[in-house]
Amino acid sequence: MKQFISSHDVSNIPALIDQALAYKASPRKDEQLGKHKRIGCLFLNPSMRTRLSTQVAAQQLGMEAIVFNVGSEGWALEFEDGAIMNGTTVEHVKDAAPIMGQYFDVLAIRTFPSLKDREADYSEFIIRQFIKYAGIPVLSLESATLHPLQSLTDLITIKEKMNADQSISRKPKVVLTWAPHVKPLPQCVANSFAQWVNAWGHAEFVITHPKGYELHDAYTNGASIIYNQEEALKNADFIYVKNWSAYEPYGTMPEFEGDWMLTLEKLKDTNNAKVMHCLPVRRNIELSDEILDSPHSIVTHQAANRVWAAQAVISNMICK
Ligand code: CP
């Protein structure tokens, strides 16, 4: 695997899920695979789960993981080819990335969208500049429009819970529901979850959000879009809660009607639904205490599974 920035980089999603679950069953089974190899983890933006789970995963493969918080500790990077660098940027990605390509075997990058320039964000300009100049495999730790390690984790978690709950013999009903937030957030987790669930093809998939929060149909094609949250949640087995800002007008927070925060009352017509969130979560804004502190919530289990997703992907990037 030469890059991992979307579901399109994976030829067999069920096999990758099984590989991750095999690592969960036997975390050190490939501890020689990464011997004498290094992964560089570049963070242009903050992280907790992605940063720690990627380091743990790499170490379990016998690799050395080096973290560089570029956004807060590195030189300000320039990404525009041909730029006259007379402003605040100090080093061009064209110079920095090939050096990292010499230090590491895999380059992992987190880079959030601007939420101002939709064309640049949706072209994945920054991570593609690293791919262009690094000369080694590039792994997304969340980019402008997608968060593939999170989405792989989410499918692993659904598959694992399905295996444990023999009462669901049909395709599970998975509902992605929009939730409120105090500030505009990227669309990447929602885009990515939709892309991966659709590519996986093993769920009845519904997306619910207020009018004005439509995601790009490149990701949602295959899902049913239902604007009425109560109707969408009926018979749900899994509910994925996430806020995102509008695609059009880009990065805005259009007014919406109704109360979109999930509560226990809203779960009454579900199939005893399990509730997921990528975290971090703003309690009692995006998701209520009563859900997060109830047996419905599987967010900790989900976050723990980040290790196995990262381990499966990194192993495919370093194997011959
Ligand atoms: N879900 C997730 O990516 O968490 P972090 O931002 O803490 O890495």
Side-chain angles (χ1 to χ4, degrees):
M1 197 187 281
K2 292 290 175 217
Q3 64 177 41
F4 182 78
I5 62 170
S6 88
S7 68
H8 302 309
D9 297 316
V10 179
S11 57
N12 188 336
I13 291 175
L16 191 59
I17 293 171
D18 288 345
Q19 191 181 356
L21 289 172
Y23 278 126
K24 184 166 185 172
S26 182
R28 302 267 176 188
K29 73 188 181 76
D30 281 338
E31 64 184 353
Q32 295 301 314
L33 190 66
K35 200 172 175 190
H36 304 312
K37 291 190 189 295
R38 259 184 232 117
I39 182 169
C41 301
L42 269 56
F43 287 88
L44 282 76
N45 305 97
S47 167
M48 190 269 263
R49 279 144 290 268
T50 307
R51 173 182 168 145
L52 298 178
S53 61
T54 305
Q55 286 180 91
V56 170
Q59 285 169 7
Q60 287 176 168
L61 291 167
M63 281 182 103
E64 186 179 1
I66 294 180
V67 173
F68 181 22
N69 296 310
V70 192
S72 56
E73 296 164 0
W75 300 115
L77 289 173
E78 176 62 55
F79 292 94
E80 291 287 344
D81 287 331
I84 297 167
M85 291 172 55
N86 58 358
T88 54
T89 56
V90 176
E91 180 157 36
H92 203 285
V93 66
K94 192 188 253 188
D95 301 312
I99 297 168
M100 295 172 191
Q102 299 289 313
Y103 295 159
F104 306 122
D105 299 281
V106 176
L107 191 58
I109 298 160
R110 165 163 285 198
T111 171
F112 287 171
S114 66
L115 288 185
K116 292 183 170 51
D117 182 344
R118 189 173 76 184
E119 196 180 334
D121 288 346
Y122 272 72
S123 73
E124 289 289 3
F125 175 61
I126 290 180
I127 201 161
R128 289 199 184 280
Q129 287 292 74
F130 277 106
I131 291 169
K132 184 170 165 188
Y133 292 119
I136 56 171
V138 169
L139 164 61
S140 168
L141 300 175
E142 185 172 351
S143 64
T145 65
L146 293 167
H147 193 354
L149 281 178
Q150 179 66 55
S151 308
L152 174 58
T153 302
D154 301 334
L155 295 189
I156 292 164
T157 307
I158 291 170
K159 170 89 189 292
E160 200 180 24
K161 292 288 178 190
M162 288 286 297
N163 287 349
D165 185 352
Q166 297 299 332
S167 70
I168 312 173
S169 54
R170 53 182 165 72
K171 278 186 176 181
K173 180 171 176 183
V174 176
V175 181
L176 168 62
T177 181
W178 184 89
H181 205 279
V182 296
K183 62 177 191 175
L185 293 191
Q187 293 109 36
C188 37
V189 170
N191 283 344
S192 194
F193 184 70
Q195 184 192 58
W196 280 76
V197 174
N198 283 322
W200 184 46
H202 291 280
E204 178 197 342
F205 186 33
V206 173
I207 302 174
T208 184
H209 54 72
K211 289 204 166 144
Y213 286 88
E214 289 78 7
L215 296 164
H216 193 290
D217 60 12
Y219 311 102
T220 60
N221 269 341
S224 305
I225 313 291
I226 298 178
Y227 291 105
N228 181 324
Q229 190 191 44
E230 189 181 347
E231 187 190 333
L233 294 178
K234 277 185 187 142
N235 301 318
D237 299 298
F238 295 90
I239 303 173
Y240 200 101
V241 179
K242 187 71 186 88
N243 169 269
W244 61 86
S245 60
Y247 179 75
E248 176 68 61
Y250 188 55
T252 62
M253 296 170 69
E255 293 285 319
F256 62 92
E257 286 180 5
D259 179 4
W260 280 78
M261 186 178 75
L262 206 62
T263 56
L264 286 176
E265 173 66 17
K266 291 187 183 183
L267 298 188
K268 68 182 190 316
D269 291 334
T270 70
N271 185 27
N272 196 23
K274 296 175 176 52
V275 177
M276 305 173 71
H277 189 288
C278 64
L279 304 179
V281 65
R282 291 208 182 219
R283 280 178 173 253
N284 303 312
I285 296 287
E286 277 183 282
L287 248 177
S288 57
D289 275 343
E290 65 177 18
I291 296 257
L292 282 164
D293 298 333
S294 80
H296 288 282
S297 171
I298 57 169
V299 298
T300 305
H301 184 100
Q302 181 186 358
N305 279 341
R306 291 293 305 271
V307 170
W308 319 115
Q311 196 163 337
V313 171
I314 294 168
S315 74
N316 280 291
M317 298 187 103
I318 59 173
C319 68
K320 290 276 177 257

